[in-house]
Amino acid sequence: ERRKMIVVEKSGYHDSVYISAAQIFQGIRTEKRRDRALVRYGDDSVSPMVTPHDEHSHRAAYELAFSALKCQDLLEEILLDSCVYPCLSLPDELTSLLVVMLYDLQDRKFEPRKVVDEEEPVAEVREVEHYLHRYTFKTKLAAAVARCRIKNDALSIEDILPETIQKQQQRASTLPLCVWVNTLKISLQDAFRELKEEGLTKVESVADLDHCTYCVDQHCPDVLFFPSSLKEKLLNSDLFADCKLLLQ
């Protein structure tokens, strides 16, 4: 029986992912001069400290945090333009959580979260989620996002990012994925067999990589390369869930 996907595309994340992403974002966010900072972040990260239970969720938290970081200025502008911020009911210590959850909310077109959370609910996440989903605020946020896109003639806020960041993203998206076979848990031959069962074909070199293919590194036989388009499929496979394959 196949495992449930940890992250459902465009449907939100578990509470622990949001909390972890907020903690990461709090540590990497762009600091602004006090006299120019219209959005205030608390001195400490979100509490309580929550660590995702598996590699997939841990990676999702980092991806969410860095996505919010790329769009920090735009997200802050949306919060201010919509008058959703400042919020007297949310302390400054929850601003990082507010920002990462806003990024995710607009990324899934303001649709409700559909993940069935099997973990203990995190009060701070539910509080911010309830705040963002209040009808008037949700409408104002969607309108602010639309105004931001129209002003910049963009289909999404990702398209408004500086050209240098967009080029970096484009380059990164074309690089092959590097994956290590954890031979403590699976042999190379068994890994190849399971990949074949997943519909993947082994090819000779990186130059031959196509949609459903992979190749073995010429110098390290326990290192595999996959097309970047297979990232979601791989991360949600049993091989990754069982830590038999590890993304480098």
Side-chain angles (χ1 to χ4, degrees), residues 77-217:
E77 179 184 336
I78 289 166
L79 285 171
L80 293 166
D81 183 45
S82 64
C83 298
V84 170
Y85 185 91
C87 169
L88 297 178
S89 64
L90 294 178
D92 291 347
E93 285 71 25
L94 291 183
T95 302
S96 288
L97 182 59
L98 180 67
V99 169
V100 298
M101 292 189 72
L102 172 59
Y103 175 84
D104 177 60
L105 181 62
Q106 64 79 33
D107 192 43
R108 51 190 162 89
K109 313 299 183 188
F110 294 90
E111 290 296 321
R113 194 162 47 136
K114 297 178 182 177
V115 170
V116 177
D117 213 323
E118 299 172 352
E119 305 170 351
E120 285 293 321
V122 179
E124 289 87 347
V125 172
R126 301 305 168 96
E127 181 181 3
V128 172
E129 183 173 45
H130 177 72
Y131 180 74
L132 288 173
H133 277 276
R134 288 169 58 181
Y135 176 75
T136 53
F137 285 170
K138 186 176 176 181
T139 303
K140 289 179 179 179
L141 284 167
V145 170
R147 284 194 296 272
C148 187
R149 287 173 36 231
I150 292 170
K151 182 174 69 175
N152 293 277
D153 192 24
L155 293 176
S156 71
I157 65 171
E158 295 278 352
D159 297 328
I160 308 172
L161 294 174
E163 186 177 354
T164 52
I165 294 180
Q166 292 191 40
K167 286 182 177 179
Q168 289 172 359
Q169 287 182 282
Q170 290 170 358
R171 283 197 296 268
S173 67
T174 61
L175 294 175
L177 301 174
C178 181
V179 172
W180 175 58
V181 180
N182 184 1
T183 52
L184 296 176
K185 293 203 169 190
I186 190 171
S187 68
L188 290 175
Q189 292 307 315
D190 284 343
F192 298 155
R193 177 180 53 77
E194 291 198 30
L195 287 170
K196 185 176 181 179
E197 291 175 357
E198 292 281 346
L200 301 177
T201 304
K202 185 166 68 171
V203 294
E204 291 298 319
S205 68
V206 171
D208 299 320
L209 289 177
D210 199 357
H211 179 58
C212 290
T213 59
Y214 70 96
C215 69
V216 180
D217 185 85

Side-chain angles (χ1 to χ4, degrees), residues 3-9 11-17 52-61 114-119 232 235-237 240-241:
R3 297 169 182 265
K4 290 182 179 179
M5 292 172 62
I6 299 300
V7 178
V8 181
E9 188 178 3
S11 296
Y13 303 93
H14 294 308
D15 287 11
S16 62
V17 172
H53 299 304
D54 57 84
E55 183 186 352
H56 296 177
S57 297
H58 192 63
R59 190 176 300 278
K114 297 178 182 177
V115 170
V116 177
D117 213 323
E118 299 172 352
E119 305 170 351
E232 195 71 25
L235 290 179
N236 288 298
S237 68
F240 269 81

